């Protein structure tokens, strides 16, 4: 057989046997990959469903807790109204009027319907005449609201069952408290009638679904209020499993659809209303809660099925290609064995080039002496066409001039290296050339680096691209913004950087989950690209922060216009798979060269401008303002100074006397902290306490105050000073972040002073922030003998039940009430009601802010117990206040 046809002979099986294992690996690997992928996918489905159920249970519990807190406030308001009616009834022997309660409204803004019945069950007064039917008025003593209050010994608010009208379209719930005469005997019942739907918040189908519900349930398991989705019938009795679960104060559970009777399962969360025999339920229908997970499962199954089909095709193709490759390798091996005997194959192009000189010896061109086939292919020619041909006469597809330049450099310096681009059939090929001089000839090697260059370019693109949104990322900003700044300076144009931070993004993440947050960021990225001008750049720095770079500006007005369009892009809600997200944007603008000359300051000033928007209400835009930057630096400086002041104890204590309203004798002192600032002098609390509260430094500052006051009391005791108690102000943040009971106990033991020498003043907000924890600590301190004072009463939201539970000793009425005394009768009426209520609860009343003698006279007439204010005494240091106390003692003895 002629040698030229030897390669056509079919290869023997023995020659292909080494490749058979490789061919069979394709189906084995395909089955393993497909099986592992499906197992992973199914496991992921299970985990996602479990996570979605946990999130649904947590969400309904959170909604129930929120609504329970709101319902508690509503019930506390109604209870306070009933208590005020009882106090006035008792104080005025039943001659009161309901006029002053006419403007009191329920949570929906509807005036409260108030009725008062005497001990004989007869209607004495009402502000809603049509509320009672004749049949009800004939048997009032048999109605639950009256009968319960008349028969039982407990003195609390009774919550009745919902009572329907004739059409059963509207319901009312009656809240009642017994009335007492001055001897404490039963004198009747006060009733407030409220639409039960106003006791709980509006139903939100976006959170609970169209088949969800909100309900308020009594301790008897009966419904008091109910709000439901579009397709869920009203229920009169809760499912048995749910009623059993409600034995706990709070929790969540999945209730199957057959228990509701409509076949729809629901995730139900419940939370007891603190202080009242009521529990709030929130139910989210399972189809709504699991809709996103099921849609993902469906899409994932379709994708996995498609991927499995693609994998099968890939395996078949791989087996076919492997068979062909095996055949080609066999033939190549045969060819290489024959060829290697004659020459050594090379993977690079190789040329031998010699210079062409003119008569003067100057190099005017180069000629190809020899080359291999690879080199000819890279030159878009054949070996026969190149040998003996000058470089200047090569095909126009080859960049001749750069090639000649490299050859000249090698002739002059011994070597040269560079990349060339050539075009052929519309495709660009990148070739790396290395030239070495050997004597009077040049050895040239060529290597195709097209794929290598493409790989590097792809890596660079990935490094500069945000994977979630497809926008340029922070690395891109760091690389390209300096060039943009340089272009702006060189061209005499302005450049602006817009720092965009989303408002409300955290709420979307917390409510809908991180997947919804990622979807929102992708939509925001698209909206930003639409909002800016052609040629502007939008980049994502990370999280919910974006950057917009505006070039070729003629002034700030153009930047403001683009910022306005960015804000406009957020006016409408953003529709995502989990619902509609409501987000805004805070935009800070920094100009170059006006605001900054370099990249770092440009970004920093844009960030500061954005922060100014955040602090002034969000959802707006601001240009960088040096004054605001200065204020930020000044605030930071004051924070550092306050931190140093606490470490160095730069504080001094002043004390203000509190006197008996009838005798004007000193009965107590209030400790007031002052900051002895090294530069600014003596600073009052309103100049540093708010900053301490915001930064959390109020906790260590409070420890300094307690230590200083206790040390001063011990010093006064040793000096024989009058043993007056001293009150110390304590904030809610101190109770939340510090064990105040342990702090006071350690200070009292360390300085050896009795607990009766210390009083604690708390604002109303302190009591409602964490009532259970606060009550526990306060009761422990009260048990030691420390007296408890409610400070600034009337400016917060404390309930009467909390005042009774914590057994407060004194109630300090805010100075805003004292200021009204002597100006109008309303001030006296309100003060009288507060005094009557406090005395009924066993507390003394202290009037703050007494600044005029007529105020002291009115308060004494109203039987207020103690007075405090600048008319009584100004705050003094430790020695000055003892002089004031001794002066009052001398006046007492001389009187």
């Amino acid at each position: 057989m002629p040698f030229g046809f030897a390669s056509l002979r079919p290869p023997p099986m023995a020659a292909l046997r080494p490749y058979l294992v490789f061919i069979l690996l394709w189906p084995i690997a395909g089955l393993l990959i497909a099986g592992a992928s499906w197992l992973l996918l199914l496991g992921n489905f299970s985990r996602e469903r479990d996570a979605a159920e946990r999130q649904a249970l947590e969400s309904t519990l959170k909604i129930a807790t929120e609504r329970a807190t709101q319902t508690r406030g509503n019930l506390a308001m109604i209870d306070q109204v009933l208590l005020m009616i009882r106090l006035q009834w008792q104080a005025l022997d039943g001659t009161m009027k309901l006029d002053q309660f006419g403007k009191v409204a329920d949570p929906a803004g509807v005036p409260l319907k108030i009725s008062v019945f005497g001990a004989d069950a007869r209607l004495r007064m009402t502000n809603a005449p049509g509320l009672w039917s004749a049949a009800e008025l004939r048997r009032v003593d048999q109605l639950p609201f009256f009968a319960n209050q008349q028969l039982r010994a407990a003195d609390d608010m009774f919550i009745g069952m919902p009572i329907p009208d004739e059409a059963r379209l509207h319901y009312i719930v009656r809240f009642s408290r017994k009335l007492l005469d001055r001897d404490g005997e039963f004198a009747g019942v006060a009733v407030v009638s409220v639409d039960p739907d106003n006791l709980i918040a509006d139903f939100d189908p976006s959170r609970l679904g169209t088949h969800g519900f909100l309900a308020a349930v009594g301790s008897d398991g009966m419904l008091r209020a109910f709000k439901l989705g579009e397709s869920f019938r009203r229920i009169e009795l809760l499912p048995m499993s749910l009623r059993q679960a409600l034995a706990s104060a709070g929790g969540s559970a999945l209730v199957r659809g057959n228990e509701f009777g409509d076949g729809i399962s629901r995730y139900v969360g419940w939370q007891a209303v603190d202080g009242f025999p009521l529990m709030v339920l929130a139910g989210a229908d399972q189809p709504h809660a699991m809709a996103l997970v099921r849609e993902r499962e469906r899409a994932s199954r379709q994708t996995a099925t498609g991927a499995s089909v693609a994998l099968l095709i890939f395996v078949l193709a791989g087996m076919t290609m492997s068979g062909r490759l095996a055949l080609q390798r066999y033939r190549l091996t045969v060819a290489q064995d024959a060829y290697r005997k004659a020459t050594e194959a090379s993977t690079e192009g190789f040329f031998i080039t010699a210079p062409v000189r003119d008569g003067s010896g100057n190099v005017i061109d180069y000629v190809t002496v020899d080359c291999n086939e690879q080199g000819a292919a890279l030159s878009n020619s054949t070996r026969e066409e190149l040998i003996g041909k000058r470089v200047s006469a090569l095909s126009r597809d080859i960049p001749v001039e750069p090639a000649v330049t490299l050859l000249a450099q090698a002739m002059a310096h011994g070597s040269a290296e560079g990349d060339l681009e050539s075009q052929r059939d519309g495709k660009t090929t990148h070739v790396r050339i290395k030239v070495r001089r050997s004597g009077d000839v040049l050895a040239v090697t060529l290597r195709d680096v097209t794929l290598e260059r493409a790989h590097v370019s792809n890596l660079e693109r990935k490094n500069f691209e945000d994977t979630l949104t497809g926008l340029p990322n922070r690395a891109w900003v760091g690389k390209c913004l300096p060039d943009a700044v340089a272009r702006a300076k060189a061209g005499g144009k302005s450049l602006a950087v817009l720092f965009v931070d989303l408002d409300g993004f955290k709420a979307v993440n917390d409510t809908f989950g991180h997947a919804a947050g990622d979807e929102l960021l992708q939509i925001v990225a698209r909206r930003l690209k639409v909002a800016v001008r052609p040629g502007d750049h939008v980049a994502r720095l990370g999280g919910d922060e974006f950057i917009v770079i505006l070039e070729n500006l003629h002034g700030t007005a153009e930047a403001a216009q683009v910022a306005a369009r960015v804000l406009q892009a957020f006016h409408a809600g953003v529709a995502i798979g989990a619902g509609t997200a409501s987000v805004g944007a805070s935009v800070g603008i920094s100009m170059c060269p006006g605001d900054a000359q370099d990249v770092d300051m440009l970004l920093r000033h844009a960030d500061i401008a954005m922060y100014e928007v955040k602090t002034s209400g969000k959802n707006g835009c601001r240009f960088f303002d040096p004054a605001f930057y200065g204020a930020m630096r000044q605030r930071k400086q004051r924070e550092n100074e306050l931190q140093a002041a606490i470490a160095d104890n730069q504080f001094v204590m002043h004390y203000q006397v509190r006197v008996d309203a009838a005798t004007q004798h000193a009965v107590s002192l209030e400790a007031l902290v002052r900051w002895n600032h090294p530069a600014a002098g003596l600073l009052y609390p309103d100049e540093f306490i708010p900053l301490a509260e915001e930064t959390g430094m109020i906790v260590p500052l409070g420890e300094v105050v307690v230590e200083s006051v206790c040390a001063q009391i011990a010093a006064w005791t040793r000096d024989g000073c009058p043993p007056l108690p001293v009150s110390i102000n304590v904030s809610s943040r101190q109770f939340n972040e510090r064990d105040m009971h342990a702090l006071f106990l350690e200070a009292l033991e360390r300085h050896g002073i009795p607990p009766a020498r210390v009083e604690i003043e708390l604002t109303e907000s302190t009591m409602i922030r964490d009532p259970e924890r606060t009550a526990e600590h306060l009761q422990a301190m009260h048990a030691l003998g420390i007296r408890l004072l409610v400070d600034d009463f009337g400016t917060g939201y404390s309930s009467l039940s909390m005042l009774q539970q914590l057994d407060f000793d004194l109630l300090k009425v805010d100075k805003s009430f004292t200021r009204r005394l002597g100006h109008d009768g309303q001030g006296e009426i309100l003060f009288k009601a507060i005094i009557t209520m406090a005395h009924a609860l066993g507390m003394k009343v202290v009037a703050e802010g007494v600044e005029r003698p007529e105020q002291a006279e009115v308060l004494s007439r109203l039987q207020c117990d103690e007075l405090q204010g600048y008319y009584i005494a100004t705050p003094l240091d430790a020695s000055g206040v003892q002089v004031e106390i001794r002066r009052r003692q001398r006046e007492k003895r001389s009187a």
Side-chain angles (χ1 to χ4, degrees):
M1 178 177 292
F3 179 78
F5 295 93
S7 61
L8 298 178
R9 181 182 301 167
M13 289 302 298
L16 293 179
R17 189 172 293 115
Y19 303 99
L20 291 177
V21 176
F22 181 73
I23 295 172
L24 293 176
L25 283 177
W26 281 96
I28 296 173
L31 287 173
L32 291 175
I33 293 172
S37 299
W38 277 101
L39 286 175
L40 182 63
L41 182 64
L42 294 175
N44 190 42
F45 286 167
S46 178
R47 288 190 294 274
E48 286 190 356
R49 284 193 293 269
D50 293 343
E53 287 202 343
R54 288 195 299 273
Q55 183 178 358
L57 292 172
E58 292 170 359
S59 176
T60 53
L61 177 57
K62 180 180 180 182
I63 294 171
T65 302
E66 294 171 352
R67 299 302 187 265
T69 301
Q70 184 175 355
T71 301
R72 179 184 179 278
N74 297 336
L75 295 177
M77 180 272 292
I78 294 173
D79 196 20
Q80 289 191 20
V81 170
L82 290 171
L83 284 172
M84 294 297 289
I85 293 172
R86 184 172 78 179
L87 289 173
Q88 291 200 15
W89 176 278
Q90 188 177 27
L92 302 176
D93 289 330
T95 61
M96 59 171 287
K97 294 182 179 181
L98 297 178
D99 297 343
Q100 60 181 306
F101 299 99
K103 295 182 179 179
V104 182
D106 66 14
V110 179
L112 291 180
K113 298 178 178 64
I114 305 172
S115 303
V116 178
F117 292 85
D120 55 1
R122 294 180 59 188
L123 180 65
R124 295 297 181 84
M125 61 189 73
T126 181
N127 63 357
L131 182 64
W132 302 89
S133 66
E136 287 181 314
L137 292 177
R138 285 196 296 270
R139 56 185 187 91
V140 170
D141 58 340
Q142 302 175 20
L143 297 180
F145 77 87
F146 191 97
N148 274 274
Q149 293 291 5
Q150 186 180 34
L151 295 177
R152 62 180 182 167
D155 183 13
D156 57 5
M157 183 174 69
F158 175 78
I159 304 175
M161 292 293 295
I163 302 174
D165 58 13
E166 293 183 358
R168 300 185 68 86
L169 297 177
H170 298 89
Y171 290 75
I172 62 169
V173 171
R174 291 169 178 164
F175 300 82
S176 63
R177 264 191 179 273
K178 64 177 64 178
L179 300 177
L180 305 175
D181 57 22
R182 292 194 174 185
D183 296 328
E185 298 297 324
F186 179 78
V189 175
V191 186
V192 173
S193 301
V194 178
D195 185 344
D197 285 348
N198 294 337
L199 294 178
I200 56 178
D202 288 336
F203 179 82
D204 186 1
S206 67
R207 299 180 71 181
L208 298 176
T210 57
H211 300 281
F213 69 90
L214 285 173
V217 180
S219 59
D220 54 4
M222 301 300 291
L223 289 169
R224 297 299 196 273
F226 194 80
K227 290 187 178 180
L228 57 154
E230 298 174 357
S231 305
F232 189 23
R233 61 180 177 82
R234 182 179 183 87
I235 61 175
E236 300 296 335
L237 193 63
L238 296 176
M240 178 59 68
S241 62
L242 185 55
R243 280 184 286 164
Q244 294 173 352
L246 294 183
S248 61
S252 58
L254 172 62
V255 182
R256 299 299 176 184
N258 56 356
E259 298 189 54
F260 284 106
D262 60 356
I264 298 177
S265 300
R266 293 172 177 84
Y267 299 102
V268 181
W270 62 89
Q271 179 63 49
V273 179
D274 188 19
F276 296 94
L278 207 65
M279 188 165 291
V280 174
L281 280 72
D285 67 77
Q286 190 181 48
H288 171 80
M290 301 296 289
L292 183 59
V293 172
R294 289 174 178 168
E295 178 61 25
R296 286 181 181 170
E297 287 186 7
R298 185 189 64 80
S300 298
R301 288 180 187 275
Q302 291 179 348
T303 303
T305 302
S308 298
V309 173
L311 179 61
L312 175 61
I313 296 173
F314 181 75
V315 168
L316 294 175
M319 293 177 66
T320 303
M321 292 179 62
S322 296
R324 291 181 178 178
L325 181 61
L327 184 59
Q328 290 176 359
R329 286 188 175 181
Y330 169 77
R331 291 174 175 172
L332 181 60
T333 301
V334 173
Q336 286 179 341
D337 289 340
Y339 183 76
R340 194 172 291 112
K341 296 177 182 178
T343 183
E344 188 70 28
S346 175
T347 59
E348 293 184 338
F350 181 76
F351 286 81
I352 297 295
T353 303
V356 178
R357 304 177 184 274
D358 60 12
S360 302
N362 299 318
V363 177
I364 59 174
D365 205 344
Y366 299 88
V367 65
T368 302
V369 178
D370 195 5
C371 72
N372 62 1
E373 294 293 343
Q374 183 67 16
L378 291 174
S379 302
N380 300 330
S381 300
T382 64
R383 185 170 180 274
E384 290 74 15
E385 291 174 343
L386 290 175
I387 295 177
K389 194 172 186 179
R390 293 191 177 191
V391 173
S392 60
L394 294 177
S395 169
R396 287 180 296 176
D397 293 338
I398 300 175
V400 174
E401 292 184 2
V404 171
T405 301
L406 287 173
L407 295 174
Q409 291 176 358
M411 285 295 296
H413 305 291
S415 65
E417 185 174 343
D419 290 352
L420 300 179
E421 290 184 5
S422 63
Q423 299 290 333
R424 185 176 184 182
D425 299 331
K427 296 182 180 180
T428 301
T429 301
H430 297 274
V431 178
R432 179 153 300 160
I433 300 179
K434 294 182 179 180
V435 186
R436 296 291 185 270
R437 179 176 177 178
S438 177
D440 201 35
V441 297
L442 300 173
V444 182
T445 58
L446 289 78
R447 183 164 61 91
D448 188 344
V449 294
T450 304
L451 294 178
E452 182 181 320
R453 290 277 295 269
H455 179 66
V456 171
S457 177
N458 186 49
L459 288 178
E460 185 178 65
R461 180 185 62 80
K462 289 183 178 180
N463 289 336
F464 291 147
E465 182 179 282
D466 178 54
T467 56
L468 177 63
T469 63
L471 294 176
N473 58 12
R474 182 184 293 272
W476 179 90
V477 174
K479 178 178 182 296
C480 297
L481 186 55
D483 297 336
V485 171
R487 287 193 298 270
K489 291 180 179 180
K493 297 284 185 73
S494 294
L495 176 141
V497 169
L498 276 58
F499 198 111
V500 182
D501 186 271
L502 301 186
D503 300 329
F505 177 72
K506 184 178 183 299
V508 175
N509 257 350
D510 294 341
T511 303
F512 299 113
H514 291 286
D518 291 345
E519 182 183 359
L520 174 63
L521 291 175
Q522 292 171 340
I523 297 173
V524 166
R526 293 196 293 269
R527 288 192 180 184
L528 289 176
K529 291 176 69 175
V530 172
V532 301
R533 307 170 306 170
D536 294 338
H537 302 286
V538 180
R540 180 185 176 218
L541 295 183
D544 60 343
E545 295 179 343
F546 296 84
I547 281 287
V548 179
I549 301 174
L550 310 178
E551 295 190 66
N552 300 318
L553 300 178
H554 294 88
T556 59
E558 292 182 66
Q561 290 175 355
V562 175
R565 290 200 296 271
V566 168
L567 293 175
Q568 182 67 32
F570 293 91
H571 283 184
V574 181
I576 57 179
T580 300
S582 179
V583 294
S586 296
V587 183
I589 308 173
S590 178
M591 301 293 297
C592 176
D595 297 328
Q597 299 290 332
D598 60 81
V599 172
D600 291 340
M601 291 303 294
L602 192 62
L603 291 172
R604 185 178 181 186
H605 288 174
D607 190 12
I608 291 170
M610 181 276 295
Y611 179 73
E612 183 178 5
V613 179
K614 290 283 190 184
T615 58
S616 60
K618 302 182 180 180
N619 197 27
C621 68
R622 292 281 179 90
F623 283 89
F624 171 72
D625 183 0
F628 177 77
Y629 182 40
M632 283 182 57
R633 296 180 62 182
Q634 185 176 4
R635 173 189 166 89
K636 185 61 179 177
Q637 180 181 354
R638 181 53 59 93
E639 287 185 23
N640 295 335
E641 292 174 347
L642 182 57
Q643 191 171 13
I646 294 173
D648 300 338
N649 194 8
Q650 299 174 2
F651 300 94
V652 295
M653 302 305 301
H654 286 192
Y655 302 87
Q656 189 174 28
V657 174
R658 204 170 74 225
V659 302
D660 184 278
T663 64
Q664 299 294 304
H665 296 157
V667 294
S668 182
L669 302 174
E670 179 179 359
L672 303 169
V673 65
R674 304 287 190 264
W675 181 4
N676 191 12
H677 194 280
L682 202 63
L683 301 181
Y684 287 85
D686 57 356
E687 298 180 79
F688 61 90
I689 291 296
L691 178 62
E693 286 278 4
E694 292 175 14
T695 58
M697 285 188 277
I698 190 66
V699 176
L701 175 58
E703 296 176 3
V704 171
V705 170
V706 171
E707 176 65 20
S708 299
V709 172
C710 290
Q712 186 61 61
I713 293 174
W716 282 336
T717 303
R718 290 191 298 271
D719 295 343
C721 296
L724 295 181
V726 181
S727 64
I728 303 173
N729 290 278
V730 180
S731 74
S732 60
R733 191 155 188 175
Q734 289 175 267
F735 265 98
N736 292 335
E737 301 180 18
R738 181 70 163 89
D739 187 345
M740 298 304 294
H741 172 252
L743 174 65
F744 274 89
L745 184 60
E746 292 170 2
L748 292 175
E749 292 178 349
R750 183 165 52 253
H751 295 286
I753 59 178
R757 293 293 302 277
V758 176
E759 300 174 340
I760 295 178
E761 295 192 19
L762 307 97
T763 61
E764 298 177 74
S765 60
T766 303
M767 294 184 287
I768 67 171
R769 184 69 60 85
D770 188 352
E772 294 183 0
R773 185 173 185 271
T774 302
E776 179 183 349
H777 284 268
L778 289 178
Q779 288 171 351
M781 287 188 279
H782 197 265
L784 291 175
I786 299 175
R787 295 208 299 174
L788 305 180
L789 288 73
V790 179
D791 195 16
D792 298 335
F793 181 80
T795 62
Y797 305 93
S798 65
S799 65
L800 297 179
S801 60
M802 178 65 76
L803 296 179
Q804 289 176 312
Q805 175 186 353
L806 296 180
D807 195 19
F808 281 88
D809 300 288
L810 288 92
L811 188 149
K812 300 185 74 174
V813 183
D814 186 70
K815 60 185 178 182
S816 61
F817 292 90
T818 308
R819 194 179 299 119
R820 297 181 60 182
L821 295 177
H823 292 288
D824 54 50
Q826 293 290 334
E828 292 191 24
I829 293 173
L830 190 56
F831 226 109
K832 178 62 177 176
I834 295 174
I835 293 173
T836 302
M837 177 196 67
H839 287 173
L841 295 175
M843 293 187 291
K844 290 185 177 182
V845 178
V846 181
E848 295 183 302
V850 180
E851 299 179 354
R852 303 192 307 274
E854 58 268 24
Q855 292 174 339
E857 294 175 3
V858 171
L859 290 166
S860 179
R861 176 166 48 81
L862 293 177
Q863 297 182 347
C864 182
D865 299 287
E866 299 178 13
L867 308 177
Q868 182 179 350
Y870 278 81
Y871 172 70
I872 305 302
T874 60
L876 301 169
D877 59 16
S879 60
V881 76
Q882 288 302 314
V883 173
E884 172 67 15
I885 293 172
R886 290 191 177 96
R887 181 185 68 79
R888 289 181 177 273
Q889 286 184 328
R890 289 195 299 270
E891 292 178 354
K892 175 181 177 181
R893 287 193 293 269
S894 63

